[in-house]
Amino acid sequence: MRWIALGVVALLAACGPSPREKAEADKKAVAEVKANQEPPPEILVPEPITFADVEKADLFGAGCNFLPRSLDKGGIALVIAQADEAYFKRDGEIVRLASDAGSAELPYLARAKYDGLTYSVSLDLDEEAGKQSGDETIDYPSTLTIRDAQGRPVFTENGTTQCGA
């Protein structure tokens, strides 16, 4: 009886993976996990676009400018959205994004979404709450969202989007 029990144990041991096969399987599993890991999204803090930036990059034209609540009174834009492109400033450089022609059209030919290689921008306006703020400008309560290349939000803020010519 003892020999039968030892034979069964030996057969069961022979059916399992060898230590080398197990090590290879473990190594493959670890490599698969590492390959599927994404780094956490960056924390983006867009810089205000100044009038000097507008002049230097020739960003004049009709469209919409997003003003965060903290800078509303100063009139400094974080995003300039026009018919064909939108712009924001990161690390002292102006980032350009192409308009998403399939997205909703905002006042003055701006678009609700813009796409670039590393970022996308969306503006969500409450158009019913818009108020005349100048001869050719209307202010709308809004939310700005900037997403990274994986579509993860890296910046979101509520504020005012001013649209005009």
Side-chain angles (χ1 to χ4, degrees), residues 38-77:
E38 275 187 33
E42 71 174 297
I43 297 172
L44 176 71
V45 181
E47 300 165 27
I49 296 174
T50 66
F51 189 72
D53 295 324
V54 171
E55 284 183 324
K56 182 179 177 182
D58 193 25
L59 305 180
F60 296 102
C64 298
N65 298 334
F66 177 80
L67 309 162
R69 288 196 174 135
S70 60
L71 299 175
D72 272 343
K73 304 301 182 214
I76 299 171

Side-chain angles (χ1 to χ4, degrees), residues 2 23 27 32 39-40 59-60 65 83 89 98 107 157 159 161:
R2 213 182 294 195
K27 189 175 180 180
E32 186 176 326
L59 305 180
F60 296 102
N65 298 334
K89 189 174 175 182
E157 186 153 347
T161 295

